[in-house]
Amino acid sequence: MSKTWPLWEVFVRARNGLSHKHVGSVHAADARMAIEAARDTYTRRMEGVSLWVVRSAEIVASDPGEAAALFEPAADKVYRHPTFYTIPENVKNI
Amino acid sequence: MYTTELKDKNQKPAPAAPAVAEDPQKLAAFEARVAADNFIEPKDWMPEAYRKTLVRQISQHAHSEIVGMLPEGNWITRAPSLRRKAVLLAKVQDEGGHGLYLYAAAETLGTSREEMIDALHSGRAKYSTIFNYPTLTWADIGAIGWLVDGAAIMNQVPLQRTSYGPYARAMVRICKEESFHQRQGFEIMMVLAAGAPEQKRMAQSALERWWWPSLMMFGPPDENSPNTAQSLRWRIKRETNDELRQKFVDVTVPQAEAIGLRVPDPKLQWNEKRGSYDFGDIDWEEFYAVVRGEGPLAKERMNARVKAWEDGAWVREAAAAHAAKRGQRAAAE
Amino acid sequence: MRDAVSDYALRLGDDSLILGQRLSEWCGHAPMLEVDLSLANIGLDLLGQATHFLGLAGEGKGVDADRLAFHRDVLDFRNCLLVEQPNGDFAQTLARQFLFSNWQELLFRDLTRSRNETISAIAAKAVKEVAYHARFANEWMVRLGDGTEESRARATAGLEWMWRFADELFDVDETVEPLVTAGVAADARALRAEWDARIAATLAAATLEMPRPRRGARGGRAGHHSEHLGHLLSEMQFLPRAYPDARW
């Protein structure tokens, strides 16, 4: 049995309307402790209305080595951008 | 400030080139990225030397924050007013929080909290020399906030653009919280310096005892810092030790004068040509002795940290055991 | 009435001050950094409450909160005996917090309806903080009680130390009785049943035995303190006492 406390990543929503943002991590033995540690560490100055904590081991991250395959193709697919289409000046609301 | 250069000056400086031969293409791409003021994130390729240097620097910075809780923590129960007590408790709590942000940043590089704490307790990892000095009076709390946090701020502000993303983001958080720290310290000194004769004496004594150690915080002179060039290129360091130290003197001397305290340096003099203060020689023997672990309170600081960790072992085990039991019960349902 | 309100505020203020002082002793020494921050948080909340209540108490006597905190001797302190107990190990500290915060939450819940506007305002703000303190303490009692054999033994010992100070929390003496009637003070007697239920529920979850009933230790509200308070005060009050005319 491990005696160490696992690492949890912390996400804070600063205000309603914004998304949760990653702010760092804490060690905690269980989920409730993780929430409290996250609150005491990352929201001491009223910086949040909502907290998510996720065990670091549960996070799946893209591989930076695959960045080209995953992300670059979008750069030359210009037809996803609205500016690709020319709309005459006299046509409004589009 | 929290860097790898905390070595005995009689030791040979570590070679700048790493033992590992890095892929030249990857290395070139990495260097270009850093030179373009871009950020390196946790899973990106990085030279071993960069990773090692960062783990050391970030963890030593974290250790400094944690050990730094002790000299100030020494006065929370004796703070002379309710407001001073609350502000000091909040400040020391902040320092613990800073340690937490930094440990979190270091863990993204492949080390663990346990490993880092073990390195600290065994003496392999260092912490800032400044925290080996005693806080014998209330005025020392003012001096620490004003001078020590002041020096730290000087070092930390440029690090907000350090190359490693998690470290930079931790520094942004820390800098936001730090200015209240320095102001509370200066306010304490200001009130004492304008107070009763015993209070003035306390304040003057604190300045005299904390001045030179604060200058030492910036580390050895540039000519004795062999890794500076590489650290600057990799944006792990943004300015040199001597540059920061000079800035600190230039900013702080007028503050001391404004509250009627005397900086304990007979060679201190404004140099019109340089537009800076000339100041006296630092006792590097003292600095290296403290780095070696011979600082005035070195034993007390380390004992306190080791004791807290060891005394707390049963607590950590209990929490882990309970979480495991809960997990098993949930799985059985 | 004014004097009675002042005395009542003094009791509330002293409870928070002394417990805040005890918790601040942990700063830099907790079992884990995250826990250090949590204990400091609770300590700060308590110091905030103390400042407000002592401010109110002082109004009645023409002195400020600092004057009250730093210049009274043991016989004039009105905190309950529970809060001045030494920290001991983490289990002893948590046992103290467990008994106190569950009581304080119920007390402040009632005090939000106090006819004294200042008291109800302080309580309204504090009750949210204290709900967090109680939850924190309850969870730790469960972790320690139902953790390892060692933590169970320590949790049991901690409860054994603190249990005899619980009865005093529910006393209503001749100073407070008129305030209860006037709707200014909470009737602490009426809180006992709910507190008992909460404590029993947490101890059950913690697989800890309810401590056996025993004669309650009392005297704090009359200034008859344990030996611990004197030492705590000499540390806390040293500077203002040594330099009586100084401003800090």
Side-chain angles (χ1 to χ4, degrees), chain A residues 3-5 13 16 19 36 39 41 47 49-50 54 82 84:
Chain A
K3 297 175 190 172
T4 63
W5 293 359
R13 192 206 305 281
N16 283 337
S19 5
E36 284 167 2
R39 177 229 195 231
T41 306
E47 302 103 302
V49 298
S50 168
V54 183
F84 176 82

Side-chain angles (χ1 to χ4, degrees), chain B residues 77 85 113 199 305 316 329, chain C residues 21 28 31 34 235 247:
Chain B
T77 54
K85 193 193 287 290
R113 177 86 67 88
Q199 291 178 296
R305 287 312 308 155
R316 296 189 298 275
R329 285 175 207 147
Chain C
Q21 175 80 356
E34 284 84 347
E235 192 173 330
R247 261 187 67 234

Side-chain angles (χ1 to χ4, degrees), chain B residues 299-321:
Chain B
K299 287 196 196 297
E300 285 90 335
R301 298 297 179 233
M302 215 24 55
N303 284 356
R305 287 312 308 155
V306 171
K307 181 174 195 305
W309 186 252
E310 288 178 356
D311 283 358
W314 69 266
V315 179
R316 296 189 298 275
E317 277 170 41

Side-chain angles (χ1 to χ4, degrees), chain B residues 184-226:
Chain B
Q184 72 88 39
F186 187 69
E187 194 193 63
I188 290 174
M189 291 300 261
M190 199 170 70
V191 169
L192 293 174
E198 303 92 357
Q199 291 178 296
K200 278 200 193 76
R201 177 183 175 219
M202 247 186 240
Q204 181 61 39
S205 163
L207 174 55
E208 282 169 20
R209 287 177 291 98
W210 288 90
W211 177 256
W212 292 104
S214 297
L215 297 194
M216 290 176 205
M217 273 181 84
F218 295 96
D222 293 347
E223 74 250 20
N224 286 352
S225 304

